[in-house]
Amino acid sequence: MAEKTQQAYPSAPENHGYQRSDAESLLSADELKRKKRIKLAIYVAIFIVFQIIVITVISLTVMKVKTPKVRLGKINVQQLNFVTATPSFDTKFTTQIKVKNTNWGPYKFDASTVKFMYQGTAVGQVVIPKSKAGMLSTKKMNVEVSLSLSALSGSNLGTELGSGVLTLNSTAMVTGKVELMLIMKKKKSSTMDCTVAFDLSSKTLKNLECK
């Protein structure tokens, strides 16, 4: 009877398949977590690199402070008289003083003076008023200039007047501050050195070069 009982009710096989499936599930879960951590690390690394690139670009462009430029604009001669024998000359003309600001913030500058000279001798000047050149813009100021010179000893003014061309120099220094992001202020000074040549026969501007 015992043998029949054993044959009628065989012992259940060991459940190795379920154990294997549970182990595989645990391994799959661990692998999934590891892959997620790797992806997260990659995303963080990409974000950091992107931020570094953005900061570098901003530092090299927006936050880089450039020196504004000061130049004379177009000159319209209103009056030009000269005497070769004396020698002497006087002239009146209108022009523009231009302050070009290429920064990503306004340039606020103090009042200054533009000087006109003939071979180092002052022949006149004009005031640049205190003002502001906006972001990436040029401030233009219309001015009227009166210049005169007579009986300058030790110069070749008479010879130059006789040649039909009168050459003058114009200089200026403008000092101010560039303001960036409403928090950063950088002091900048700009110099101007222009050469102005007049055609005496036509009483017009012959050439204007600034640097």
Side-chain angles (χ1 to χ4, degrees):
M1 286 294 292
E3 291 180 358
K4 289 182 180 180
T5 303
Q6 290 178 356
Q7 290 177 357
Y9 302 99
S11 59
E14 296 182 3
N15 197 357
H16 295 293
Y18 287 112
Q19 292 178 357
R20 191 179 299 113
S21 298
D22 292 342
E24 289 176 353
S25 298
L26 290 174
L27 288 174
S28 298
D30 291 340
E31 182 68 17
L32 187 60
K33 289 180 180 179
R34 188 178 70 85
K35 288 182 178 180
K36 287 183 177 180
R37 287 196 295 268
I38 291 173
K39 284 185 178 180
L40 180 61
I42 292 173
Y43 292 150
V44 171
I46 292 173
F47 177 77
I48 292 173
V49 171
F50 177 75
Q51 290 297 314
I52 292 173
I53 293 173
V54 170
I55 292 172
T56 302
V57 171
I58 292 176
S59 299
L60 294 177
T61 55
V62 178
M63 298 302 292
K64 184 178 181 180
V65 181
K66 301 175 184 177
T67 301
K69 295 180 179 180
V70 183
R71 297 288 186 268
L72 286 180
K74 184 179 179 181
I75 292 177
N76 295 311
V77 180
Q78 297 174 324
Q79 175 183 315
L80 178 55
N81 302 314
F82 66 96
V83 179
T84 305
T86 309
S88 64
F89 75 85
D90 65 83
T91 179
K92 289 183 180 181
F93 58 86
T94 59
T95 185
Q96 278 188 337
I97 299 171
K98 300 187 292 185
V99 180
K100 185 178 181 180
N101 177 30
T102 57
N103 293 290
W104 291 87
Y107 176 57
K108 298 178 181 180
F109 54 90
D110 300 325
S112 184
T113 303
V114 177
K115 297 180 180 179
F116 293 86
M117 295 174 289
Y118 174 76
Q119 295 185 356
T121 300
V123 296
Q125 65 182 33
V126 65
V127 175
I128 301 175
K130 181 179 180 180
S131 190
K132 177 180 74 173
M135 175 183 69
L136 302 175
S137 64
T138 300
K139 176 66 176 180
K140 299 177 181 179
M141 295 161 282
N142 297 315
V143 295
E144 186 174 279
V145 183
S146 296
L147 310 176
S148 63
L149 180 65
S150 61
L152 181 63
S153 60
S155 74
N156 60 346
L157 177 58
T159 303
E160 187 168 354
L161 292 174
S163 71
V165 177
L166 175 63
T167 302
L168 304 176
N169 293 102
S170 178
T171 62
M173 176 178 283
V174 174
T175 300
K177 291 182 180 180
V178 176
E179 185 178 287
L180 297 176
M181 302 296 186
L182 301 176
I183 54 173
M184 177 182 171
K185 292 184 179 180
K186 184 72 174 181
K187 188 175 181 179
K188 283 291 181 179
S189 296
S190 180
T191 59
M192 180 186 75
D193 186 2
C194 296
T195 301
V196 185
F198 294 100
D199 187 323
L200 298 178
S201 60
S202 62
K203 297 185 178 182
T204 58
L205 178 70
K206 179 179 178 65
N207 190 40
L208 172 62
E209 291 184 1
C210 293
K211 58 181 181 180

